[in-house]
Amino acid sequence: MDINKLTELLSAEVKNLGENKKVETGYCGDFLSFAMSRAPSQSAWFTVMSNVNVAAVSLLADVSVIVLCENVIPDDALLNRCVSEGLSVICTKYSAYEAAGMLFVAMKNEEKYCLPER
Amino acid sequence: MSDECIRLEFKVDSENFASAGSASEAVKTQLKLLGINSHDVRRVAIAMYEGEINMVIHAKGGTAVVEIYQNRVDITLADRGPGIADIDLAMKEGYSTAPDNIRELGFGAGMGLPNMKKNTDEMRIVSNPGVGTTIYMKVNLT
Ligand SMILES: Nc1ncnc2c1ncn2[C@@H]1O[C@H](COP(=O)(O)OP(=O)(O)OP(=O)(O)O)[C@@H](O)[C@H]1O
Ligand SMILES: [Mg+2]
């Protein structure tokens, strides 16, 4: 999976595209310090949080793409930060559950995904 | 020599939320340039970001000193904020005094200090209410 394919899968709107990075997995959540430590690198981060701190967390955690769910759009500061840092951010009408579910199914079909042990 | 290090110093500003995290980003960039493995870089980045953002949110800013040695990274975060009265309580997952306007931004899960602990090999908090807080962290490089 990569950002372009995910964008198509989620009928998403690209707000900023850096590199078309690989997407190996996903993470859902809005609390920044959960995402910071739990979002795997090369993941798609599904969230409705749209302020500039989302960019800092994504950069530091090596998130591949920020997926803003439920028609949320990035605020100006977040978008500017994404543009200046080359961070990808896309917007979808789907909820975090739906969008992550779609990614999960697509990756499962590619036989690229199994749940990590907990 | 083995005790040679690269020393980076940052003033962490509390006014501009948009730049919060910039010290951590600079450190991450530097570590990547030095060819440190991504797992270690990630640990330093997580620990430092949580500490940096805590100084912004809870202590009106402070200073960060990062020393990169051959086999470890030392991070010292110092502020003159309100201090932490009960450190054991503050270290508990889920404990947070973040006000509503800060929670609306996605902070306040009470996971920052536990994240710092988890991602470092040593961590020490020295805090005096009314005087400030200093946090020392060490991450061994593998
Ligand atoms: N530098 C500091 N100065 C004063 N108090 C602090 C400082 N750092 C942390 N604290 C106190 O410790 C509590 C717990 O910190 P922690 O980082 O774990 O959670 P948080 O910052 O409230 O939320 P999160 O980090 O999940 O966004 C804070 O709510 C605050 O009361
Ligand atoms: Mg915190």
Side-chain angles (χ1 to χ4, degrees):
Chain A
M1 184 61 63
D2 61 29
I3 297 174
N4 285 339
K5 281 191 207 150
L6 182 66
T7 302
E8 203 184 304
L9 183 70
L10 301 178
S11 315
E13 187 186 333
V14 174
K15 292 292 180 184
N16 188 58
L17 182 63
E19 261 175 78
N20 180 28
K21 287 187 179 162
K22 273 200 223 150
V23 175
E24 305 279 11
T25 181
Y27 185 79
C28 297
D30 301 319
F31 268 124
L32 298 175
S33 42
F34 272 91
M36 182 76 224
S37 64
R38 310 270 170 93
S41 54
Q42 298 196 299
S43 60
W45 177 15
F46 301 94
T47 181
V48 292
M49 200 52 78
S50 56
N51 66 72
V52 66
N53 301 288
V54 169
V57 169
S58 300
L59 273 175
L60 292 165
D62 290 319
V63 164
S64 286
V65 55
I66 302 160
V67 183
L68 295 180
C69 298
E70 304 193 50
N71 289 319
V72 167
I73 54 169
D75 71 17
D76 290 346
L78 173 57
L79 187 56
N80 290 339
R81 198 73 197 284
C82 288
V83 170
S84 68
E85 302 284 352
L87 257 174
S88 296
V89 54
I90 64 178
C91 299
T92 179
K93 61 193 167 192
Y94 296 108
S95 71
Y97 166 75
E98 291 159 347
M102 289 159 82
L103 173 63
F104 187 94
V105 169
M107 304 250 326
K108 228 176 161 212
N109 289 341
E110 288 179 15
E111 297 186 344
K112 291 254 173 64
Y113 198 77
C114 48
L115 280 173
E117 284 196 24
R118 296 278 182 222
Chain B
M1 288 311 306
S2 63
D3 58 353
E4 250 174 46
C5 78
I6 296 172
R7 190 171 188 280
L8 306 169
E9 210 175 319
F10 305 90
K11 190 174 169 294
V12 176
D13 205 345
S14 71
E15 301 307 310
N16 187 1
F17 246 99
S19 70
S22 58
S24 305
E25 280 159 30
V27 169
K28 184 184 177 189
T29 302
Q30 177 70 254
L31 293 174
K32 271 166 71 180
L33 280 175
L34 291 167
I36 312 285
N37 79 63
S38 58
H39 178 252
D40 292 346
V41 173
R42 186 180 156 98
R43 294 185 79 212
V44 173
I46 291 173
M48 178 150 173
Y49 176 74
E50 294 288 7
E52 181 181 357
I53 218 77
N54 275 355
M55 291 201 297
V56 172
I57 290 176
H58 304 295
K60 297 203 168 80
T63 57
V65 174
V66 178
E67 291 171 327
I68 306 166
Y69 295 86
Q70 197 83 43
N71 59 356
R72 71 172 200 278
V73 177
D74 289 351
I75 304 163
T76 307
L77 306 169
D79 68 61
R80 292 164 182 270
I84 302 173
D86 187 338
I87 293 175
D88 288 339
L89 181 62
M91 287 296 300
K92 285 218 166 74
E93 289 189 2
Y95 178 81
S96 174
T97 61
D100 284 348
N101 63 322
I102 295 293
R103 286 175 196 259
E104 277 162 20
L105 296 172
F107 298 106
M111 293 300 288
L113 288 170
N115 281 349
M116 290 157 74
K117 176 92 189 158
K118 250 180 238 157
N119 287 283
T120 53
D121 295 288
E122 271 176 43
M123 174 170 160
R124 196 156 46 94
I125 303 177
V126 178
S127 189
N128 290 306
V131 181
T133 302
T134 301
I135 301 183
Y136 304 94
M137 295 183 283
K138 187 178 95 171
V139 175
N140 291 328
L141 300 178
T142 55

